[in-house]
């Protein structure tokens, strides 16, 4: 017998509205800016209001298209060509007619990029982390995972979904990892998971030292499996892993996040392939990006703005409060036509809310100067703390 549903029991919509109101009260309700990038004119973008009416153009300062490869002629040409040659969609999962030639070629190119035997492509970096970590840590009997405290949400999800034992080591701290590995059961397989560049702080893992520590414990290879996204520096979309043939095959054969979802469309794979090939041969985009990031950091520091220490191209500026971070971001967009979204909890710890600036090769000197002037005005207007000293 079917039990009658008591619709009065709980008003779900009221409950959902309350959860959203809690976010609004904390100042961390997310509102998306409705933008359309202009191919060939990036980082300029069109902006639309809630009714779809155009607003003045903006300059984007927070994109993860770090090198501007999402606008690169070689990438656009490869994608246009692939749409003409192969059509739009993938046609299925990799098992059901979704394996297309560009995917196979891209996997070969990525394996070569990382000096590994094989690679496997997923529909996003998130999925590649989730699928790979959950599969490896559940396939290995009694696997014990050691995870950096600042690991990305996709890695945390993957480890959680494996149901393996997990121990968190202090962020970027090889001695803490060593201590924890020594305390662990020597007989069980262990997996150490960390990132290379931490994308919210811009710091870089001490990869060699972490591998040295793991080596003491009988490491398989120094970097057994490398995961990457095709959506940021490569400017397109998708994720991948690179590793030994056997490891890649086990993920290919056991990971639900790989098996039960439609493959990346061939045109996306062709664009990513053009991007990977271009960046293998050219350092110009990276050099220019680092030059832009250095100039931005230098001028922010000179203006007394609280730029957080970062050794990479990521330039975080500390606000330290969710509501004021959102206010600063709104003012930047509405008054100055500068788009930098607020970064709030849970993406970063509470109290470290920030504006995360990502200078690209395409941000010119005038754009940097305009950004600094706008930030100084907003810092004064909102009475935000400048850097001490
Ligand atoms: C370490 C790490 N892994 C995965 C992702 C997600 O990649 P994607 O956007 O391709 O899903 C990110 C993006 O923020 C990341 O920083």
């Amino acid at each position: 017998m079917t039990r009658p549903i008591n619709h009065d029991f709980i008003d779900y919509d009221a409950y959902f509205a309350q959860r959203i109101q809690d976010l609004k009260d904390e100042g961390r309700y997310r509102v998306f800016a409705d933008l359309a990038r202009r191919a060939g004119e990036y980082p300029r973008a069109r902006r639309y209001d809630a009714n779809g009416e155009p607003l003045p153009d903006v300059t984007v300062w927070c994109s993860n298209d770090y090198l501007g490869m999402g606008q690169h002629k070689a990438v656009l040409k490869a994608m246009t060509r692939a749409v003409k040659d192969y059509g739009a969609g993938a046609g299925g999962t990799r098992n059901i007619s979704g394996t297309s030639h560009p995917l196979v070629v891209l996997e070969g190119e990525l394996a070569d990029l990382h000096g590994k035997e094989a690679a496997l492509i997923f529909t996003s970096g998130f999925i590649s982390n989730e699928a790979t970590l959950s599969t490896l840590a559940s396939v290995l009997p009694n696997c014990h995972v050691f995870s950096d405290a600042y690991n990305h949400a996709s890695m945390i999800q993957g480890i959680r979904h494996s149901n393996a034992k997990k121990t968190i080591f202090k962020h970027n701290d090889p001695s803490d990892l060593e201590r924890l590995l020594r305390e662990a059961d020597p007989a069980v397989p262990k997996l150490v998971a960390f990132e290379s560049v931490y994308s919210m702080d811009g710091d870089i893992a001490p990869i060699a030292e972490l591998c040295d520590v793991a080596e003491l414990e009988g490491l398989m290879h120094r970097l057994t499996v490398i995961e990457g996204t095709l959506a940021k520096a490569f400017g397109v979309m998708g994720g991948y892993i690179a590793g030994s043939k056997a490891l890649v095959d086990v993920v290919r054969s056991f990971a639900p996040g790989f098996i039960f979802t439609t493959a990346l469309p061939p045109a996306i794979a062709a664009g990513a392939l053009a991007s990977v090939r271009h960046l293998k041969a050219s350092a110009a985009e990276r050099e220019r990006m680092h030059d832009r990031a250095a100039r931005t950091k230098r001028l922010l520091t000179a203006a007394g703005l609280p730029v957080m220490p970062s050794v990479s191209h990521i330039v975080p500026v500390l606000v330290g409060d969710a509501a004021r971070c959102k206010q600063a971001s709104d003012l930047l967009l509405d008054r100055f036509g500068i788009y930098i979204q607020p970064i709030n909890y849970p993406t970063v710890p509470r109290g470290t809310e920030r504006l995360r600036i990502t200078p690209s090769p395409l941000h010119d000197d005038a754009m940097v100067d305009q950004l600094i002037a706008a930030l100084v005005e907003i810092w004064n207007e909102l009475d935000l703390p400048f850097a001490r000293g």
Side-chain angles (χ1 to χ4, degrees):
M1 207 181 85
T2 323
R3 202 186 295 174
I5 297 171
N6 181 357
H7 290 284
D8 298 333
F9 179 62
I10 181 165
D11 180 345
Y12 293 103
D13 276 343
Y15 176 75
F16 296 147
Q18 185 53 54
R19 294 301 306 265
I20 293 296
Q21 192 55 48
D22 292 345
L23 287 181
K24 288 184 175 164
D25 291 347
E26 265 191 72
R28 56 187 190 91
Y29 178 67
R30 294 169 200 247
V31 180
F32 299 145
D34 186 352
L35 303 181
R37 308 199 321 161
R38 289 176 181 277
E41 285 178 40
Y42 186 73
R44 299 292 288 167
R46 290 195 189 90
R47 184 181 173 211
Y48 296 90
D49 70 13
N51 301 315
E53 295 300 324
L55 291 166
D57 282 4
V58 302
T59 304
V60 177
W61 271 103
C62 55
S63 171
N64 285 343
D65 186 359
Y66 299 133
L67 298 173
M69 293 305 289
Q71 306 282 316
H72 197 281
K73 280 200 184 93
V75 175
L76 303 194
K77 193 170 153 204
M79 291 186 75
T80 315
R81 175 83 205 261
V83 168
K84 286 193 180 133
D85 286 353
Y86 307 108
T93 68
R94 290 291 290 275
N95 292 310
I96 304 172
S97 104
T99 290
S100 62
H101 188 60
L103 275 178
V104 177
V105 179
L106 178 57
E107 285 176 343
E109 196 72 45
L110 289 167
D112 177 68
L113 176 71
H114 294 293
K116 296 289 189 190
E117 287 174 0
L120 189 69
I121 293 167
F122 301 78
T123 42
S124 76
F126 189 104
I127 302 288
S128 61
N129 272 328
E130 198 282 332
T132 303
L133 285 166
S134 64
T135 301
L136 293 180
S138 61
V139 163
L140 289 166
N142 302 317
C143 182
H144 186 166
V145 182
F146 295 80
S147 175
D148 185 286
Y150 283 15
N151 273 345
H152 190 257
S154 56
M155 301 170 74
I156 297 169
Q157 287 281 83
I159 296 164
R160 213 176 260 158
H161 289 164
S162 74
N163 291 324
K165 181 173 177 184
K166 172 173 93 167
T167 303
I168 293 172
F169 63 92
K170 285 187 197 144
H171 176 54
N172 276 353
D173 189 339
S175 55
D176 195 46
L177 174 64
E178 182 169 3
R179 180 181 68 77
L180 293 165
L181 283 170
R182 290 232 162 105
E183 281 171 10
D185 180 350
V188 300
K190 298 178 193 70
L191 191 158
V192 181
F194 56 88
E195 298 186 24
S196 50
V197 178
Y198 287 81
S199 67
M200 290 300 141
D201 291 281
D203 56 340
I204 297 177
I207 297 175
E209 291 90 329
L210 290 169
C211 289
D212 289 346
V213 166
E215 210 157 39
L216 296 173
E217 301 298 316
L219 190 68
M220 199 169 140
H221 309 281
R222 277 182 76 80
L223 288 173
T224 313
V225 54
I226 293 173
E227 180 277 344
T229 175
L230 300 167
K232 297 186 178 186
F234 291 126
V236 190
M237 189 183 178
Y240 64 89
I241 56 164
S244 69
K245 272 191 183 141
L247 184 146
V248 168
D249 208 15
V250 96
V251 177
R252 187 184 74 89
S253 307
F254 287 96
F258 174 80
I259 298 170
F260 297 106
T261 188
T262 296
L264 212 61
I268 302 278
L273 179 64
S275 185
V276 172
R277 283 188 173 156
H278 178 84
L279 291 174
K280 264 182 173 174
S282 165
E285 292 78 12
R286 273 162 284 189
E287 283 164 8
R288 171 89 179 148
M289 176 193 72
H290 285 299
D291 171 76
R292 301 290 78 200
R295 181 181 163 86
T296 308
K297 284 183 199 172
R298 198 168 61 243
L299 294 183
L300 284 167
T301 307
L305 289 156
V307 51
M308 297 166 78
S310 144
V311 289
S312 70
H313 62 288
I314 312 267
V315 184
V317 177
L318 183 69
V319 177
D321 175 84
R324 292 187 346 133
C325 198
K326 168 97 178 70
Q327 247 179 319
S329 165
D330 287 349
L331 273 174
L332 275 172
L333 190 58
D334 293 332
R335 190 181 299 168
F336 299 97
I338 290 174
Y339 177 49
I340 308 177
Q341 93 281 28
I343 305 282
N344 288 340
Y345 176 83
T347 310
V348 295
R350 288 183 210 274
T352 72
E353 291 82 359
R354 65 197 69 174
L355 297 175
R356 171 182 176 269
I357 303 168
T358 53
S360 80
L362 303 170
H363 288 90
D364 63 24
D365 284 358
M367 287 172 179
V368 179
D369 294 346
Q370 192 221 3
L371 170 71
I372 308 292
L375 286 172
V376 168
E377 188 174 319
I378 289 171
W379 246 248
N380 281 318
E381 184 165 327
L382 298 182
D383 203 16
L384 292 171
F386 281 84
R388 280 190 212 108

